[in-house]
Amino acid sequence: MFNIPLPIYVAFFFFLGASFLLNLHQRYQKRQRELPERDHYLAEQGRQEPACKSCDSANMREIGLLHGEDDTRIVSCADCNTLLFQFKRDPRPSEDDDA
């Protein structure tokens, strides 16, 4: 019937799977970039201190948007993993500035 070699099938499904995973990652990154700023989140929730809007927990986890040392921080609930808000931390002074 079809005389297509097996490596062609393997390569096709590899690239199909890779494009699917890349699409999922890009959608997650877009959701993180669209999170409100910290002050807007607090005003929207009517709180003084941040808490999860889903489970009302005050246990938060923060990560960098692009990498661990990124100044744009993404805050999520440590209990239910709900994305909450983002903020920009003050850039750290470099070691060369001490001299």
Side-chain angles (χ1 to χ4, degrees):
M1 190 165 143
F2 292 112
N3 206 7
I4 301 173
L6 180 64
I8 300 296
Y9 282 118
V10 171
F12 174 74
F13 285 111
F14 172 77
F15 286 114
L16 185 67
S19 67
F20 175 73
L21 290 176
L22 184 61
N23 187 325
L24 284 176
H25 177 69
Q26 288 176 337
R27 285 192 289 169
Y28 186 71
Q29 285 283 319
K30 182 180 178 190
R31 279 190 18 221
Q32 287 182 333
R33 284 186 176 92
E34 291 174 347
L35 287 172
E37 291 290 326
R38 182 179 192 271
D39 296 334
H40 186 262
Y41 176 80
L42 291 175
E44 183 180 275
Q45 298 296 318
R47 299 177 187 245
Q48 297 297 320
E49 294 295 321
C52 180
K53 59 186 173 187
S54 297
C55 68
D56 209 32
S57 171
N59 193 9
M60 303 289 158
R61 174 181 64 216
E62 75 175 61
I63 59 172
L65 178 62
L66 300 175
H67 54 83
E69 299 300 317
D70 195 0
D71 290 332
T72 302
R73 309 302 290 174
I74 303 298
V75 178
S76 61
C77 178
D79 295 334
C80 69
N81 294 326
T82 302
L83 293 174
L84 301 174
F85 59 88
Q86 64 177 318
F87 70 93
K88 294 195 186 301
R89 71 176 171 200
D90 297 330
R92 298 180 192 166
S94 65
E95 294 175 4
D96 296 337
D97 294 340
D98 294 338

